[in-house]
């Protein structure tokens, strides 16, 4: 086989490892796929009554795309934890001592995590539709919205790998796991940023999570006040393309650097 | 390979970034001959893991030379990795996968075809006595079982050299025996092994040659017997029935002593050069002085004494 052939074969072996984890511990992975559904139901009933949407639309019209974006963010934790555990337990070292492709370790992880996200997203779309959420601008635009969400997940993958390789042990991850929440709240996931106090709104609208949530709403034809009232909001699709690419451009090389530095 | 040296390291130096001054390796030398087990013996923090990680290409050295199976570890890492097996200090296996799933995965990553990887997994499970636990998640394995699976995983493709880093640190005595048996089995198959340990007994039991490591440097090297003779002298041990006789016996032994005598309770230990002569002379003198000792024996120094002598520090026993 060629070098590329081996890289692909090795990547698939690493991906299969995660799929086998799912098979061996189905409860754990199924719970993780339904966790976003839980968030959707909790925040939907918690905040739904207090929300005033134009034309008496359901709050789910705004919330569902927000939870989509939030699910991308929460995926970060899975990546981080898996990477740190492998490093801590010496599994990464064993991979590095094998004649396998070193890129495959990361590629296998990426494929597995994207698959995981795809399933979580599918479960969430089903629930959203059942709760009355709809896309109104046709399937191609809806698919484009899902594409942008997955692009964000792809960018967060590299942040996850970078942090996962950087921290000393799994315990240090707790800090990051806690910090994920304010990042989620300081975005347009739950409310349009234009309805926030000015200074909070400014921070929030530049949050890459907001870009993804607002862009998804734009493409689905779901309501978001910031689409018409702010510059970032009206350019959300552009932002949702640029910000993940920027994050990837920064964190992919950083992760590769960290990986190489394991030998220093 | 032109030489029989499977591992050659010369003046290897390594200082961890942000680590303490002097921690790591400070001019590490090692040669390992094909088909032997070499024990790298040293206390905690001596640099054993650092040496193994450098030789197995996981860690870059700051300076020095090292080759494994004839390939330079710095410039020909991929070639080295194709010829080594590594059993790290911590059992590096996937805890969620079963024993068999682990072995087939590592088989695939060693680029065996599917069927071959599965077959090899079965052979290894058999060899390491893990057939009964093959379908269980490794998370449920005992320490000894994990170590055995870890050894198995590093032997999927018969390596030219196997690195085994502190295989029994933290294991209970029974599990330690299990692991020893597994290592002995490898050795009988002719695998070249570099084994690190902080236990003298383990090195004495398993290794053909021992390199003693202290502060990142090899301070002594040889077969266990050579190391024991390196102290220069054997010991004549006299155990007396009556402590009152100690002073007399000490005076009788003094002319034979090649160094300082040791007294521990009723035991007098005399370092001697000429073993047989010392024993005969001593026995005669005792007979003439009408002293009947409880015991009189000749012995080589223990590895403990060698280690203490060479390094001034104690090692776990
Ligand atoms: N990643 C690291 N960063 C800094 N110092 C380290 C690191 N790893 C090991 N050391 C230090 O290097 C020395 C040798 O460590 P090690 O090779 O693990 O010893 P051993 O395996 O013989 O116990 C120790 O003093 C240890 O504290
Ligand atoms: Mg060690």
């Amino acid at each position: 086989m060629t070098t590329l052939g081996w890289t692909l074969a090795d990547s698939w072996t690493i991906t299969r490892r995660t799929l086998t984890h799912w098979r061996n511990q189905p409860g754990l992975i199924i719970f993780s796929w339904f966790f976003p559904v839980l968030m959707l139901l909790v925040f939907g009933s918690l905040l739904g009554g207090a929300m005033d949407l134009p034309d008496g639309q359901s709050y789910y019209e705004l919330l569902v795309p927000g939870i989509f974006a939030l699910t991308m963010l929460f995926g970060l934790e899975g990546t981080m934890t898996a990477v740190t555990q492998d490093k801590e337990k010496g599994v990464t070292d064993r991979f590095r001592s094998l004649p396998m492709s070193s890129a495959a370790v990361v590629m296998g992880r990426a494929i597995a995590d994207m698959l995981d996200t795809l399933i979580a997203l599918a479960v969430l779309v089903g629930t959203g539709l059942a709760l009355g959420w709809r896309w109104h601008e046709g399937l191609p635009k809806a698919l484009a919205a899902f594409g942008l969400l997955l692009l964000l997940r792809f960018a967060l993958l590299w942040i996850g790998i970078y942090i996962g390789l950087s921290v000393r042990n799994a315990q240090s991850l707790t800090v990051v796991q806690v910090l994920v929440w304010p990042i989620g709240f300081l975005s347009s996931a739950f409310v349009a940023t234009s309805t926030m106090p000015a200074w909070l709104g400014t921070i929030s609208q530049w949050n890459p999570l907001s870009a993804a949530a607002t862009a998804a709403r734009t493409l689905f034809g779901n309501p978001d006040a910031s689409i018409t009232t702010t510059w970032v909001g009206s350019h959300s699709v552009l932002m949702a393309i640029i910000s993940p690419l920027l994050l990837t451009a920064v964190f992919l090389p950083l992760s590769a650097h960290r990986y190489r530095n394991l030998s220093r | 390979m032109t030489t029989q040296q499977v591992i050659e390291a010369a003046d290897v130096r390594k200082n961890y970034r942000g680590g303490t001054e002097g921690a790591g390796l400070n001019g590490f030398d090692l040669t390992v001959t094909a088909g032997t087990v070499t024990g790298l013996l040293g206390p905690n923090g001596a640099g054993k893991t650092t040496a193994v990680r450098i030789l197995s290409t996981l860690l870059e050295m700051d300076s020095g030379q090292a080759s494994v199976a004839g390939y330079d570890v710095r410039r020909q890492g991929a070639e080295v990795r194709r010829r080594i097996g590594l059993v790290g200090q911590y059992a590096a296996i996937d805890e969620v996968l079963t024993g068999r799933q682990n072995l087939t995965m590592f088989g695939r990553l060693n680029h065996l075809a599917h069927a071959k990887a599965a077959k090899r997994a079965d052979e290894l499970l058999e060899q390491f006595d893990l057939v009964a636990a093959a379908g269980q998640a490794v998370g449920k394995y005992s320490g000894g079982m994990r170590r055995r699976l870890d050894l198995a995983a590093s032997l999927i493709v018969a390596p030219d050299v196997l690195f085994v880093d502190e295989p029994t640190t933290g294991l209970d005595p029974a599990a330690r025996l299990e692991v020893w048996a597994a290592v002995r089995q490898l050795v009988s198959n002719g695998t070249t092994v570099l084994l690190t340990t902080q236990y003298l007994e383990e090195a004495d039991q398993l290794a053909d040659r021992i390199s003693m490591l202290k502060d990142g440097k090899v301070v002594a090297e040889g077969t266990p017997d050579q190391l024991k003779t390196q102290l220069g002298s054997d010991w004549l041990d006299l155990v007396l029935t009556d402590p009152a006789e100690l002073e007399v016996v000490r005076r009788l032994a003094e002319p034979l002593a090649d160094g300082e005598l040791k007294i521990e309770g009723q035991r007098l230990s005399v370092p001697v050069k000429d073993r047989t002569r010392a024993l005969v002379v001593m026995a005669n003198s005792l007979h003439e002085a009408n002293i009947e000792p409880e015991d009189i024996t000749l012995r080589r120094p223990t590895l403990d004494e060698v280690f203490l002598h060479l390094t001034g520090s104690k090692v776990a026993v």
Side-chain angles (χ1 to χ4, degrees), chain B:
Chain B
M1 259 178 292
T2 49
T3 60
Q4 283 294 95
Q5 308 310 340
V6 183
I7 301 178
E8 284 187 292
D11 200 26
V12 173
R13 286 166 196 279
K14 171 74 193 177
N15 242 289
Y16 287 98
R17 273 189 313 188
T20 347
E21 186 73 28
L25 292 180
N26 304 297
F28 172 81
D29 299 301
L30 185 72
T31 43
V32 173
T33 311
T36 63
V37 181
T38 299
L40 194 57
L41 171 67
N44 201 10
K48 302 180 295 294
T49 299
T50 306
V52 165
R53 288 172 55 85
I54 286 177
L55 293 172
S56 55
T57 79
L58 293 183
L59 193 65
E60 281 170 24
M61 60 180 106
D62 297 338
S63 66
Q65 291 290 324
S67 67
V68 170
Y71 294 95
D72 188 293
V73 295
R74 274 200 287 199
R75 280 170 294 140
Q76 297 164 302
E79 296 296 333
V80 171
R81 283 191 287 279
R82 210 160 284 153
R83 289 165 180 82
I84 60 168
L86 171 66
V87 185
Q89 186 169 348
Y90 307 99
I93 30 191
D94 189 313
E95 308 223 330
V96 182
L97 299 187
T98 67
R100 178 178 279 113
Q101 286 168 342
N102 264 290
L103 291 180
T104 27
M105 172 178 76
F106 287 122
R108 291 291 292 148
L109 293 175
N110 271 294
H111 296 169
L112 298 184
H114 279 288
K116 195 128 185 254
K119 186 164 159 277
R120 188 70 187 125
D122 284 334
E123 287 168 10
L124 287 164
L125 288 166
E126 184 83 41
Q127 184 183 339
F128 287 90
D129 197 18
L130 289 166
V131 176
Q136 259 176 41
V138 172
K140 297 200 184 101
Y141 281 26
S142 72
M145 287 161 76
R146 272 171 210 233
R147 265 294 167 202
R148 266 147 53 206
L149 183 66
D150 204 15
L151 275 170
S154 59
L155 292 170
I156 288 171
V157 177
D160 288 354
V161 192
L162 180 67
F163 296 97
V164 188
D165 194 14
E166 301 190 38
T168 62
T169 301
L171 291 189
D172 58 57
R176 187 178 294 178
L177 289 181
E178 279 176 35
V179 173
W180 284 4
V183 172
R184 283 209 186 88
Q185 205 189 353
L186 300 181
V187 175
S188 64
N189 294 342
T191 315
T192 308
V193 179
L194 179 67
L195 169 115
T196 82
T197 179
Q198 8 180 338
Y199 305 111
L200 287 161
E201 193 195 352
E202 189 160 289
D204 210 0
Q205 286 274 339
L206 298 175
D208 304 312
R209 295 186 77 83
I210 295 177
S211 284
M212 289 189 170
L213 191 64
K214 180 171 191 251
D215 298 337
K217 218 173 146 53
V218 172
V219 290
E221 191 275 329
T223 63
D225 271 344
Q226 283 171 345
L227 285 176
K228 288 171 189 169
T229 14
Q230 222 170 341
L231 252 186
S233 43
D234 293 336
W235 292 88
L236 183 64
D237 278 352
L238 292 154
V239 182
L240 305 177
T241 38
D242 182 0
E245 295 164 347
L246 214 55
E247 199 37 46
V248 185
V249 178
R250 202 177 69 84
R251 247 182 289 126
L252 291 173
E254 210 114 67
L256 299 169
D258 173 46
E260 219 164 300
L261 288 85
K262 282 196 301 190
I263 297 175
E264 260 175 65
Q266 273 156 251
R267 177 193 297 271
L268 181 73
S269 298
V270 190
V272 294
K273 264 245 162 69
D274 189 340
R275 305 161 42 101
T276 331
R277 199 183 76 88
L279 184 61
V280 172
V281 172
M282 195 66 222
N284 269 331
S285 317
L286 289 172
H287 183 68
E288 276 163 24
N290 223 346
I291 294 172
E292 187 67 37
E294 192 176 300
D295 198 9
I296 172 163
T297 44
L298 266 174
R299 65 171 174 87
R300 331 264 351 236
T302 63
L303 273 177
D304 281 292
E305 284 164 330
V306 181
F307 201 87
L308 194 65
H309 177 78
L310 290 167
T311 67
S313 67
K314 262 217 158 25
V315 110
V317 202

Side-chain angles (χ1 to χ4, degrees), chain A residues 1 6-7 9-14 16-25 86 88-102 104 257-258 260-264, chain B residues 14 16-17 53 56-61 78 81-82 84-88 90-98 101 104-106 108-112 114 137 149-151 153-154:
Chain A
M1 238 196 273
W6 279 124
T7 305
D10 290 344
S11 302
W12 181 237
T13 306
I14 300 288
R16 285 246 324 244
R17 172 184 173 219
T18 304
L19 303 188
T20 314
H21 281 191
W22 297 356
R23 208 175 66 204
N24 290 8
Q25 301 187 323
D86 276 358
E88 210 184 349
K89 297 242 164 85
V91 175
T92 307
D93 272 355
R94 165 150 270 153
F95 288 151
R96 291 172 64 228
S97 78
L98 291 176
M100 63 179 285
S101 146
S102 59
H257 182 72
R258 275 279 161 195
R260 276 196 302 273
N261 264 6
L262 289 177
S263 65
R264 295 272 154 73
Chain B
K14 171 74 193 177
Y16 287 98
R17 273 189 313 188
R53 288 172 55 85
S56 55
T57 79
L58 293 183
L59 193 65
E60 281 170 24
M61 60 180 106
R81 283 191 287 279
R82 210 160 284 153
I84 60 168
L86 171 66
V87 185
Y90 307 99
I93 30 191
D94 189 313
E95 308 223 330
V96 182
L97 299 187
T98 67
Q101 286 168 342
T104 27
M105 172 178 76
F106 287 122
R108 291 291 292 148
L109 293 175
N110 271 294
H111 296 169
L112 298 184
H114 279 288
L149 183 66
D150 204 15
L151 275 170
S154 59

Side-chain angles (χ1 to χ4, degrees), chain A residues 233-254:
Chain A
S234 57
H235 294 79
S236 61
V237 173
L238 182 70
M239 293 296 294
I241 295 172
I242 289 177
S243 58
L245 289 181
L246 269 179
L247 288 175
T248 307
V250 173
F251 283 96
L252 193 151
L254 277 179

